[in-house]
Amino acid sequence: MIVQAADVSYLYTERGESSDQATLRRVEDGKTVWKLKLAPGQSKSSALLALDSLFVTVCESNTVIGVCDVLRLGAETGEVLSATPGILWNTTKEYALVMGFPRWGTSALGFFSTSGRVFTAAGTQAVNDQVSSRNGCGPFDILGATYELEELILTLRDACGIWQKRFVTTKI
Protein backbone atom coordinates (compact mmCIF):
# COMPACT_ATOMS: atom_id res chain seq x y z
CA MET A 1 0.00 0.00 0.00
CA ILE A 2 1.30 3.48 -0.78
CA VAL A 3 -1.49 5.77 0.47
CA GLN A 4 -4.68 5.21 2.44
CA ALA A 5 -7.52 7.65 3.05
CA ALA A 6 -10.76 6.62 4.83
CA ASP A 7 -12.09 3.51 3.03
CA VAL A 8 -9.87 4.05 -0.01
CA SER A 9 -6.43 2.57 -0.62
CA TYR A 10 -3.94 3.29 -3.36
CA LEU A 11 -1.83 0.22 -4.05
CA TYR A 12 1.41 -0.31 -5.95
CA THR A 13 2.52 -3.57 -7.54
CA GLU A 14 6.11 -4.01 -8.73
CA ARG A 15 6.93 -5.54 -12.08
CA GLY A 16 6.65 -9.29 -11.89
CA GLU A 17 7.20 -12.41 -13.91
CA SER A 18 3.86 -11.93 -15.69
CA SER A 19 4.43 -8.28 -16.61
CA ASP A 20 7.33 -5.88 -17.12
CA GLN A 21 5.15 -2.97 -15.97
CA ALA A 22 4.48 -1.79 -12.43
CA THR A 23 0.88 -0.90 -11.60
CA LEU A 24 -0.88 1.70 -9.46
CA ARG A 25 -4.51 1.14 -8.51
CA ARG A 26 -7.28 2.59 -6.37
CA VAL A 27 -9.23 0.13 -4.24
CA GLU A 28 -12.51 0.85 -2.46
CA ASP A 29 -14.24 -1.76 -0.30
CA GLY A 30 -11.97 -4.45 -1.73
CA LYS A 31 -12.77 -3.60 -5.37
CA THR A 32 -10.39 -2.04 -7.88
CA VAL A 33 -11.85 1.28 -9.09
CA TRP A 34 -9.05 2.17 -11.51
CA LYS A 35 -5.69 0.82 -12.56
CA LEU A 36 -2.75 2.59 -14.21
CA LYS A 37 0.21 0.72 -15.67
CA LEU A 38 3.48 2.62 -15.51
CA ALA A 39 5.70 2.73 -18.58
CA PRO A 40 8.03 -0.26 -18.93
CA GLY A 41 11.18 0.31 -16.85
CA GLN A 42 9.51 2.81 -14.47
CA SER A 43 8.93 2.30 -10.76
CA LYS A 44 7.26 4.33 -8.02
CA SER A 45 9.51 6.28 -5.68
CA SER A 46 6.92 8.12 -3.54
CA ALA A 47 3.22 9.00 -3.52
CA LEU A 48 1.09 11.45 -1.54
CA LEU A 49 -2.43 12.86 -1.69
CA ALA A 50 -2.95 16.61 -2.12
CA LEU A 51 -5.49 18.89 -3.83
CA ASP A 52 -7.88 16.00 -4.62
CA SER A 53 -5.07 14.36 -6.60
CA LEU A 54 -2.58 11.56 -6.11
CA PHE A 55 0.96 12.81 -6.75
CA VAL A 56 3.33 9.96 -7.64
CA THR A 57 7.08 10.17 -8.30
CA VAL A 58 8.03 7.60 -10.94
CA CYS A 59 11.65 6.98 -11.91
CA GLU A 60 13.48 5.06 -14.59
CA SER A 61 14.73 2.01 -12.74
CA ASN A 62 17.41 0.87 -15.18
CA THR A 63 19.61 3.98 -15.24
CA VAL A 64 22.64 4.99 -13.19
CA ILE A 65 21.29 8.54 -12.78
CA GLY A 66 17.59 8.33 -11.99
CA VAL A 67 15.33 10.26 -14.31
CA CYS A 68 12.12 11.01 -12.44
CA ASP A 69 8.75 12.60 -13.16
CA VAL A 70 5.88 13.43 -10.86
CA LEU A 71 2.53 12.28 -12.20
CA ARG A 72 -0.53 14.12 -10.95
CA LEU A 73 -3.40 11.64 -11.10
CA GLY A 74 -7.07 12.35 -10.60
CA ALA A 75 -7.66 10.61 -7.27
CA GLU A 76 -11.15 9.47 -8.33
CA THR A 77 -10.37 8.48 -11.93
CA GLY A 78 -6.65 7.69 -12.18
CA GLU A 79 -6.45 10.03 -15.17
CA VAL A 80 -2.97 11.53 -15.67
CA LEU A 81 -3.59 15.27 -15.25
CA SER A 82 0.04 16.32 -15.64
CA ALA A 83 3.63 15.05 -15.65
CA THR A 84 6.39 17.26 -14.26
CA PRO A 85 10.13 16.44 -14.28
CA GLY A 86 11.54 16.13 -10.75
CA ILE A 87 10.59 14.53 -7.46
CA LEU A 88 7.83 15.15 -4.95
CA TRP A 89 9.36 17.03 -2.01
CA ASN A 90 6.39 18.03 0.09
CA THR A 91 2.57 18.09 0.16
CA THR A 92 -0.07 19.59 2.41
CA LYS A 93 -3.80 20.12 1.94
CA GLU A 94 -2.93 23.42 0.23
CA TYR A 95 -0.06 22.48 -2.09
CA ALA A 96 2.20 19.89 -3.66
CA LEU A 97 5.86 20.81 -4.23
CA VAL A 98 7.83 19.22 -7.07
CA MET A 99 11.55 19.98 -7.36
CA GLY A 100 14.22 19.09 -9.86
CA PHE A 101 16.66 16.72 -8.20
CA PRO A 102 20.40 17.27 -8.64
CA ARG A 103 22.34 14.25 -9.87
CA TRP A 104 24.82 14.72 -7.03
CA GLY A 105 22.20 14.62 -4.23
CA THR A 106 21.33 17.13 -1.54
CA SER A 107 24.33 16.87 0.80
CA ALA A 108 27.68 18.69 0.96
CA LEU A 109 26.75 21.19 -1.74
CA GLY A 110 28.54 24.42 -2.56
CA PHE A 111 25.91 25.46 -5.07
CA PHE A 112 22.31 24.41 -5.79
CA SER A 113 20.30 25.43 -8.83
CA THR A 114 16.63 24.68 -8.48
CA SER A 115 13.72 24.38 -10.83
CA GLY A 116 10.46 23.72 -9.05
CA ARG A 117 6.71 23.71 -9.41
CA VAL A 118 4.15 24.33 -6.69
CA PHE A 119 0.64 23.06 -7.41
CA THR A 120 -2.10 24.93 -5.52
CA ALA A 121 -5.89 25.22 -5.85
CA ALA A 122 -5.32 28.65 -7.46
CA GLY A 123 -2.96 27.28 -10.11
CA THR A 124 0.68 26.40 -10.60
CA GLN A 125 3.63 28.47 -9.37
CA ALA A 126 7.20 28.12 -10.66
CA VAL A 127 10.62 28.87 -9.22
CA ASN A 128 13.97 28.84 -11.01
CA ASP A 129 16.81 30.12 -8.87
CA GLN A 130 20.00 29.17 -7.09
CA VAL A 131 21.68 29.23 -3.72
CA SER A 132 25.40 29.20 -2.91
CA SER A 133 27.27 28.31 0.26
CA ARG A 134 27.75 31.10 2.78
CA ASN A 135 31.23 32.64 3.16
CA GLY A 136 33.31 30.72 5.68
CA CYS A 137 30.59 28.15 6.40
CA GLY A 138 31.59 25.38 4.00
CA PRO A 139 29.24 23.19 1.99
CA PHE A 140 25.56 22.88 2.90
CA ASP A 141 22.92 20.15 3.12
CA ILE A 142 19.31 20.66 2.04
CA LEU A 143 17.10 19.58 4.94
CA GLY A 144 13.71 20.33 3.41
CA ALA A 145 11.49 22.58 1.35
CA THR A 146 8.13 24.21 2.03
CA TYR A 147 5.85 26.74 0.35
CA GLU A 148 4.31 29.75 2.05
CA LEU A 149 2.78 32.99 0.75
CA GLU A 150 4.07 32.57 -2.82
CA GLU A 151 7.59 31.72 -1.63
CA LEU A 152 9.55 28.49 -1.79
CA ILE A 153 11.56 28.11 1.41
CA LEU A 154 14.61 25.84 1.51
CA THR A 155 15.95 24.87 4.93
CA LEU A 156 19.71 24.33 4.83
CA ARG A 157 22.48 23.35 7.24
CA ASP A 158 26.18 24.20 7.07
CA ALA A 159 29.07 24.50 9.53
CA CYS A 160 27.64 27.83 10.76
CA GLY A 161 24.18 26.40 11.56
CA ILE A 162 20.70 26.00 10.12
CA TRP A 163 19.40 28.72 7.81
CA GLN A 164 16.70 29.35 5.22
CA LYS A 165 16.74 30.65 1.69
CA ARG A 166 13.50 32.08 0.27
CA PHE A 167 12.62 32.17 -3.42
CA VAL A 168 9.72 34.13 -4.89
CA THR A 169 7.51 31.99 -7.12
CA THR A 170 5.74 33.15 -10.28
CA LYS A 171 2.37 32.03 -11.62
CA ILE A 172 2.55 29.98 -14.80
Side-chain angles (χ1 to χ4, degrees):
M1 180 175 349
I2 55 173
V3 177
Q4 185 168 3
D7 295 332
V8 176
S9 296
Y10 295 91
L11 305 174
Y12 173 72
T13 306
E14 282 285 345
R15 300 181 299 280
E17 293 177 17
S18 62
S19 174
D20 66 345
Q21 292 176 281
T23 304
L24 296 168
R25 61 189 171 109
R26 177 184 169 122
V27 176
E28 290 180 37
D29 299 321
K31 295 179 184 164
T32 298
V33 175
W34 57 257
K35 185 187 296 187
L36 175 70
K37 285 190 173 189
L38 299 181
Q42 283 189 329
S43 60
K44 174 205 61 84
S45 174
S46 63
L48 293 167
L49 288 166
L51 304 169
D52 296 324
S53 299
L54 178 64
F55 288 82
V56 182
T57 301
V58 294
C59 301
E60 296 294 326
S61 47
N62 297 328
T63 61
V64 175
I65 299 170
V67 177
C68 300
D69 289 310
V70 175
L71 304 179
R72 182 179 185 180
L73 306 177
E76 298 289 325
T77 64
E79 175 187 3
V80 178
L81 304 174
S82 66
T84 305
I87 61 169
L88 187 60
W89 276 45
N90 196 358
T91 62
T92 68
K93 290 181 180 181
E94 289 80 35
Y95 70 85
L97 173 59
V98 176
M99 299 279 286
F101 191 75
R103 293 188 307 251
W104 51 87
T106 59
S107 298
L109 301 172
F111 177 82
F112 179 71
S113 181
T114 185
S115 174
R117 298 285 181 269
V118 182
F119 296 89
T120 68
T124 305
Q125 302 281 324
V127 63
N128 292 296
D129 214 326
Q130 56 196 20
V131 60
S132 298
S133 57
R134 300 187 290 179
N135 275 345
C137 295
F140 59 88
D141 301 331
I142 300 173
L143 303 179
T146 57
Y147 174 75
E148 181 179 297
L149 302 173
E150 298 185 6
E151 287 186 323
L152 169 70
I153 306 164
L154 286 182
T155 301
L156 309 128
R157 177 184 56 211
D158 57 22
C160 298
I162 294 176
W163 53 292
Q164 292 185 327
K165 173 72 175 177
R166 294 176 175 267
F167 303 99
V168 176
T169 59
T170 56
K171 190 170 180 76
I172 56 172

